[in-house]
Amino acid sequence: MAKHWADFQYEIYLNAVPRLPTDLTRLEELTEQRLGPGPVGYVAGSAGNGSTARANRAALDRRRIVPRMLRDVHERDLSVEVLGRALPAPLALAPVGVLSIMHPDAEPAAARAAAAQGVPYILSSASSTPIEQVAEAMGDAERWFQLYWAKDREVTRSFLNRAKATGYSVLVVTLDTPILAWRPRDLDQAYLPFLHGVGTANHFSDPAFRAGLAKPVHEDPNAAVMHFVGMFADPSKTWPDLAFLREHWDGPIVLKGILHPDDARLAADAGMDGVVVSNHGGRQVAGSVAAADALPGVVEAVGDRLTVLFDSGVRTGDDIFKALALGARAVLLGRPYAYGLGLDGQAGVEHVIRSLLAEFDLTLALSGHATPATVGRADLIENPV
């Protein structure tokens, strides 16, 4: 029996005023009021003057849904198959690093929330909790591992082995962050958690990483941090390097950060299984193309060869509908669940997931669809700017 996500609204009406707003676009402002400027700026901030983050929203807002009437939408099933996995809805929680800056329960709280709702949780390489502890928090729930591709091959190999050994089924390789962008909100606070050993849990607990240190992490934490900074990402990587990942990971591999159709074709040619059309939520290239504007071209190029996922700018249930109409198989949600975590821990993340999917369920029904499979380009028009 398919889950009726929309029933969440009656649960609210019949029980009590929710602890957090049901309009998820309000969460950022609430978080700004309650958390310190460093952590909030790190999550909410963008590259440059924020133009790419604004463009992401504008590209979704510019597309408008055209509802259809008198279609039987009484029984709805939001479930989808993504990368061979049966999901209850076309949604996964995107990798967001350093979640301990938002809430002391950090990644395990977000992971438990995802597990409770049946939604995949994608753990960031830059988490503040080791791979194994997050896996333990999730039981046998669906979990994927996001890789920031280190310069040190042995550390990369070790990360992949650890993730595989603890039940992570899909590898998500972020390509758009070989170096950190110019991020004024972080710069103006001189706030970079990694330099204080926060967000380094996977590295500091890794045998291959520790083998490169003269002293144990606790004896010389500064040296450990500098070793981390020196290897965290590698701007010299090119397409042929993907063969190393394919060799050491036997499950699906998805490349995150693809915006150009030719890059999507190269991903398919390299034997990858999927791509995430993403500009890192506007955090990397100021002035970049909006992710939703790049999505149709990527789908046209490789939609018959690869699983195309989408993130960057998703805030509402209708955003999910629009991304599916533009050809995505599912979406990844980032900042809103980080805000939910910061405001109310695991319960806050569950509230965000349930609100988003209830709104998507209702948008689907009210637009004339009983399943995501029937949503397509004909369901949208594009308003002029």
Side-chain angles (χ1 to χ4, degrees):
M1 180 83 178
K3 180 166 181 171
H4 291 174
W5 294 96
D7 289 349
F8 187 38
Q9 67 172 332
Y10 297 111
E11 192 179 311
I12 291 171
Y13 286 134
L14 291 169
N15 291 323
V17 173
R19 287 163 59 90
L20 295 181
T22 53
D23 174 358
L24 301 181
T25 65
R26 293 181 52 208
L27 295 180
E28 181 175 340
E29 184 186 354
L30 265 184
T31 309
E32 296 258 13
Q33 292 166 9
R34 294 193 198 171
L35 272 66
V40 173
Y42 185 79
V43 174
S46 300
N49 68 358
S51 66
T52 302
R54 292 193 295 275
N56 284 337
R57 283 304 318 154
L60 287 164
D61 287 340
R62 195 172 70 246
R63 293 171 166 90
R64 313 304 295 174
I65 298 166
V66 186
R68 300 296 303 275
M69 300 298 120
L70 291 175
R71 292 177 169 184
D72 184 356
V73 294
H74 173 63
E75 280 296 331
R76 296 179 304 284
D77 182 355
L78 269 55
S79 64
V80 292
E81 188 179 295
V82 175
L83 298 163
R85 274 123 195 96
L87 307 183
L91 177 72
L93 294 193
V96 178
V98 210
L99 285 178
S100 62
I101 66 174
M102 299 301 283
H103 193 280
D105 293 345
E107 290 82 10
R112 284 192 299 269
Q117 297 303 320
V119 169
Y121 178 71
I122 310 176
L123 178 68
S124 171
S125 280
S127 63
S128 36
T129 313
I131 293 167
E132 295 80 5
Q133 282 182 34
V134 176
E136 196 178 338
M138 293 192 76
D140 59 1
E142 186 72 31
R143 50 185 172 272
W144 303 353
F145 181 67
Q146 177 268 341
L147 180 71
Y148 280 120
W149 202 349
K151 281 183 185 170
D152 188 319
R153 279 193 161 204
E154 292 310 310
V155 171
T156 298
R157 197 194 321 261
S158 181
F159 272 28
L160 299 185
N161 289 340
R162 290 169 65 191
K164 211 178 325 183
T166 49
Y168 295 81
S169 59
V170 174
L171 181 65
V172 179
V173 187
T174 297
L175 299 182
D176 58 17
T177 315
I179 49 179
L180 281 183
W182 187 254
R183 298 179 183 171
R185 282 189 73 167
D186 296 339
L187 290 162
D188 291 352
Q189 299 285 333
Y191 186 84
L192 188 60
F194 307 111
L195 297 184
H196 304 284
V198 181
T200 57
N202 287 321
H203 292 77
F204 287 7
S205 62
D206 192 83
F209 177 89
R210 293 199 305 242
L213 298 175
K215 295 178 180 176
V217 174
H218 67 274
E219 286 185 22
D220 194 348
N222 286 342
V225 165
M226 294 321 294
H227 189 48
F228 166 86
V229 169
M231 76 158 60
F232 177 68
D234 184 1
S236 70
K237 291 278 194 302
T238 58
W239 290 96
D241 290 308
L242 289 170
F244 176 82
L245 299 181
R246 186 76 281 175
E247 185 186 337
H248 291 94
W249 185 268
D250 53 14
I253 302 178
V254 176
L255 302 185
K256 184 172 181 285
I258 299 296
L259 295 165
H260 196 292
D262 287 349
D263 283 348
R265 292 186 185 98
L266 288 168
D269 294 344
M272 301 295 103
D273 301 277
V275 294
V276 184
V277 175
S278 167
N279 55 31
H280 216 99
R283 291 168 64 75
Q284 281 299 99
V285 178
S288 166
V289 61
D293 286 336
L295 178 57
V298 171
V299 170
E300 194 176 333
V302 299
D304 57 341
R305 300 167 69 191
L306 298 179
T307 297
V308 179
L309 308 176
F310 173 80
D311 79 22
S312 298
V314 175
R315 298 291 179 272
T316 64
D318 56 286
D319 291 338
I320 299 178
F321 184 101
K322 292 173 184 179
L324 298 185
L326 293 172
R329 292 292 301 280
V331 305
L332 312 186
L333 181 74
R335 286 182 178 100
Y337 90 78
Y339 300 142
L341 177 70
L343 292 166
D344 201 18
Q346 177 182 338
V349 180
E350 289 202 53
H351 172 85
V352 168
I353 295 169
R354 297 187 72 193
S355 296
L356 187 77
L357 290 179
E359 187 178 20
F360 170 60
D361 189 0
L362 292 164
T363 302
L364 196 71
L366 292 167
S367 302
H369 297 271
T371 167
T374 58
V375 176
R377 293 295 290 272
D379 293 299
L380 295 184
I381 61 166
E382 192 167 337
N383 280 353
V385 179

